[in-house]
Amino acid sequence: MAAEKLRDLSQPIDVAVLDATVAAFFVTGSKEERAAADQILRDLQANPDMWLQVVHILQNTKSMDTKFFALQVLEGVIKYRWNALPVEQRDGMKNYISEVIVQLSGNEASFRSERLYVNKLNVILVQIVKHDWPAKWTSFIPDLVAAAKTSETICENCMIILKLLSEEVFDFSRGEMTQQKIKELKQSLNRHFKLIHELCLYVLSASQRQDLIRATLSALHAYLSWIPLGYIFESPLLETLLKFFPVPAYRNLTLQCLTEVAALNFGDFYNVQYVKMYTIFIGQLQAILPPSTNIPDAYSNGSDEEQAFIQNLALFFTSFFKFHIRVLESTPEIVALLLSGLEYLINISYVDDTEVFKVCLDYWNSLVLELFEAHHHSNNPAANANMMGLQIPFMPGMVDGLGSQVMQRRQLYSNPMSKLRGLMINRMAKPEEVLIVEDENGNIVRETMKDNDVLVQYKIMRETLIYLSHLDHDDTEKQPGGAGVL
């Protein structure tokens, strides 16, 4: 009887009966009751008119499970049928979801106690935005920024929504939206980013609320890889981020933001800003993590937050050096800071964590290969010129000029490379093992024990060590165990 009552959607659904059915499925029901409840809920989800009951359900239920069931129904409609619905129905639902989010996030107590519900409503709102913005909801970003200025808890939730929007458009949209739609959303985000940028800077300069600052840094992290570069380098943003780096509560989030900036590669236009950024960063890092620190020990004994800091530090250094090491090399007054950064990265490379080591190893392999190729081509000026991007004919004196540059780089990196040789020998992964075994027929056969990850790591380390040996054969032999690898 109750089941038939629920399936009749010609009148407002009996929320008490729905609550009992949801509870039977999730919490209280026997095996048979759960199966019956599951069938009823599936039938309701399949009913194309069920979504019209969502507002009625959300307004009348106290059950969080029932709320999530109603939002799941709504999410399916938004995903597959939204554009086919009448405008009035779309606008009504959009306004209702927005109002509930503002109501719950505007109150400190409800924002904390119903956080999961608010987060789900945020996801629903972003799904609507993906359909309606910018053509049918032109004021979305201005509306969001205006709401954020009314209270700090609303502002915190707006930052969460902005982060979700960036992730949906740039990370999760493949397969759900056409390339044209994705392009349209990206262009709209770019056009409106001035408002977002101003809001973020205001929060970071004026707020003392830790949760809001963390939400703002997290939102910025989602945007930094694609926003127009002027917002980073021609505004106080980078300077502001560096001010937050020494603060423990914000250190990891700030470091993630700085890593996104470090990974940008667009030529030499902002070299001065990168040099300044690196100089300030290293100065701060030396106070936070003195160069004498035993980083592997600190990692193994550290908290999750401290371990994440070391992981993020590896990503920062490898990203920065990969794209900007040349400008650091060519700035004499900070060469010592460059070498200090490389020393940090070598120490991090000794950390007993496979993922951390992979990040470091990939960078060391690329740097050593670059140095080896320059060394290998130093006696062939035309080839070396082409390798360096200089499409020029041979001229007298070229050998001296290019050879001198190569030798200067080798000399600059001689000490880090020596320590890197010790690292590679010390941490060399085992090659594939071969066992001699007897098969089921009594034959003696060779059996290879393979671990693909370890094998790949071994090949990269072996390649790196070979390049290092060619760069300085004598130093390789002097390393403990070095003679055995040649």
Side-chain angles (χ1 to χ4, degrees):
M1 186 69 179
E4 294 310 313
K5 191 174 181 182
L6 281 180
R7 290 188 175 98
D8 179 12
L9 299 181
S10 62
Q11 55 189 345
I13 199 167
D14 189 323
V15 175
V17 175
L18 179 62
D19 283 343
T21 305
V22 170
F25 178 73
F26 284 107
V27 183
T28 62
S30 64
K31 185 177 179 180
E32 293 76 14
E33 289 170 335
R34 287 191 65 198
D38 178 44
Q39 189 57 55
I40 294 170
L41 296 177
R42 286 177 184 275
D43 290 346
L44 290 175
Q45 280 186 299
N47 192 315
D49 294 326
M50 178 61 188
W51 82 276
L52 295 170
Q53 302 279 348
V54 167
V55 172
H56 171 68
I57 294 168
L58 295 178
Q59 289 175 334
N60 291 281
T61 183
K62 295 288 192 292
S63 165
M64 192 59 66
D65 287 332
T66 302
K67 288 180 180 180
F68 273 84
F69 170 73
L71 291 178
Q72 191 175 7
V73 171
L74 179 58
E75 195 168 14
V77 170
I78 294 169
K79 191 170 184 177
Y80 299 111
R81 295 170 48 210
W82 186 254
N83 289 329
L85 299 178
V87 174
E88 298 77 17
Q89 290 182 346
R90 293 203 306 262
D91 287 347
M93 183 57 72
K94 178 171 64 182
N95 293 334
Y96 175 76
I97 295 295
S98 301
E99 287 167 6
V100 175
I101 289 174
V102 169
Q103 178 188 343
L104 292 175
S105 62
N107 178 281
E108 175 79 28
S110 62
F111 186 45
R112 301 301 168 204
S113 64
E114 300 199 57
R115 193 61 175 266
L116 289 175
Y117 181 41
V118 175
N119 286 342
K120 185 63 177 177
L121 288 167
N122 290 339
V123 171
I124 295 291
L125 183 67
V126 169
Q127 295 299 323
I128 294 174
V129 169
K130 283 165 60 178
H131 286 284
D132 282 9
W133 182 67
K136 301 169 189 170
W137 196 355
T138 55
S139 63
F140 169 67
I141 294 293
D143 289 348
L144 192 71
V145 171
K149 293 177 179 178
T150 61
S151 91
E152 286 197 304
T153 49
I154 290 177
C155 187
E156 181 184 337
N157 195 58
C158 287
M159 291 299 176
I160 294 168
I161 291 170
L162 286 170
K163 180 186 178 184
L164 277 173
L165 180 60
S166 178
E167 290 173 342
E168 283 291 328
V169 174
F170 288 90
D171 300 329
F172 309 138
S173 56
R174 187 172 299 173
E176 291 191 2
M177 293 188 289
T178 64
Q179 289 300 313
Q180 181 59 37
K181 181 62 177 178
I182 294 170
K183 181 180 178 182
E184 185 183 3
L185 290 176
K186 289 180 178 180
Q187 289 172 342
S188 295
L189 279 171
N190 269 327
R191 282 197 301 272
H192 289 94
F193 194 76
K194 185 174 186 292
L195 289 172
I196 300 171
H197 179 258
E198 289 172 351
L199 177 64
C200 291
L201 282 178
Y202 176 75
V203 168
L204 295 178
S205 63
S207 179
Q208 300 298 313
R209 186 186 182 89
Q210 187 176 118
D211 288 335
L212 173 55
I213 292 172
R214 287 180 62 84
T216 303
L217 291 170
S218 187
L220 274 172
H221 177 245
Y223 283 81
L224 280 168
S225 64
W226 59 264
I227 63 174
L229 298 174
Y231 288 119
I232 301 173
F233 297 104
E234 297 167 24
S235 81
L237 180 57
L238 194 52
E239 181 183 344
T240 302
L241 288 173
L242 287 165
K243 286 180 182 176
F244 278 97
F245 177 57
V247 184
Y250 311 126
R251 186 169 296 151
N252 274 319
L253 282 169
T254 305
L255 188 49
Q256 290 171 353
C257 290
L258 293 172
T259 300
E260 290 293 340
V261 176
L264 297 172
N265 183 30
F266 41 78
D268 300 331
F269 194 74
Y270 291 109
N271 277 353
V272 172
Q273 286 89 335
Y274 272 112
V275 169
K276 183 179 179 182
M277 169 187 171
Y278 183 82
T279 303
I280 295 171
F281 177 84
I282 285 290
Q284 293 174 331
L285 180 62
Q286 289 172 339
I288 295 167
L289 190 70
S292 59
T293 304
N294 185 320
I295 293 179
D297 281 356
Y299 185 90
S300 62
N301 297 318
S303 64
D304 289 347
E305 191 80 5
E306 289 165 338
Q307 290 185 347
F309 176 64
I310 300 298
Q311 294 163 3
N312 289 328
L313 204 54
L315 290 168
F316 173 83
F317 277 125
T318 54
S319 297
F320 199 104
F321 292 151
K322 182 176 181 180
F323 296 112
H324 310 291
I325 198 167
R326 286 287 195 168
V327 67
L328 300 181
E329 290 174 13
S330 59
T331 310
E333 59 269 26
I334 65 160
V335 164
L337 298 182
L338 163 60
L339 296 176
S340 176
L342 290 169
E343 182 79 15
Y344 273 112
L345 191 57
I346 286 172
N347 290 336
I348 292 170
S349 302
Y350 278 99
V351 164
D352 187 17
D353 182 281
T354 302
E355 294 307 312
V356 172
F357 185 65
K358 278 181 182 178
V359 169
C360 298
L361 178 60
D362 285 346
Y363 174 70
W364 291 129
N365 180 258
S366 65
L367 176 62
V368 171
L369 175 59
E370 183 186 337
L371 294 173
F372 168 76
E373 287 181 339
H375 166 72
H376 180 69
H377 289 280
S378 59
N379 293 324
N380 183 347
N384 200 44
N386 289 338
M387 183 193 72
M388 296 172 67
L390 307 173
Q391 301 298 326
I392 54 178
F394 171 76
M395 294 184 294
M398 184 181 292
V399 174
D400 293 340
L402 293 175
S404 173
Q405 290 178 30
V406 171
M407 289 305 297
Q408 285 174 3
R409 283 198 94 203
R410 281 187 61 193
Q411 186 62 37
L412 173 64
Y413 293 118
S414 60
N415 188 47
M417 291 302 102
S418 179
K419 292 182 177 179
L420 187 57
R421 291 181 187 98
L423 168 70
M424 290 296 122
I425 292 167
N426 183 274
R427 292 210 58 171
M428 180 61 72
K430 292 193 300 182
E432 62 182 14
E433 297 180 13
V434 178
L435 302 179
I436 306 300
V437 297
E438 183 176 340
D439 68 12
E440 63 273 13
N441 298 319
N443 299 317
I444 303 299
V445 295
R446 292 160 58 94
E447 187 175 273
T448 303
M449 306 291 290
K450 289 187 177 180
D451 183 328
N452 287 336
D453 286 343
V454 173
L455 194 55
V456 169
Q457 184 175 305
Y458 167 74
K459 288 178 178 177
I460 295 173
M461 294 183 73
R462 182 174 179 275
E463 178 184 89
T464 306
L465 188 54
I466 289 171
Y467 292 142
L468 285 165
S469 302
H470 281 293
L471 286 170
D472 194 329
H473 186 280
D474 293 340
D475 185 70
T476 306
E477 282 200 322
K478 290 176 185 175
Q479 301 294 331
V485 302
L486 297 176

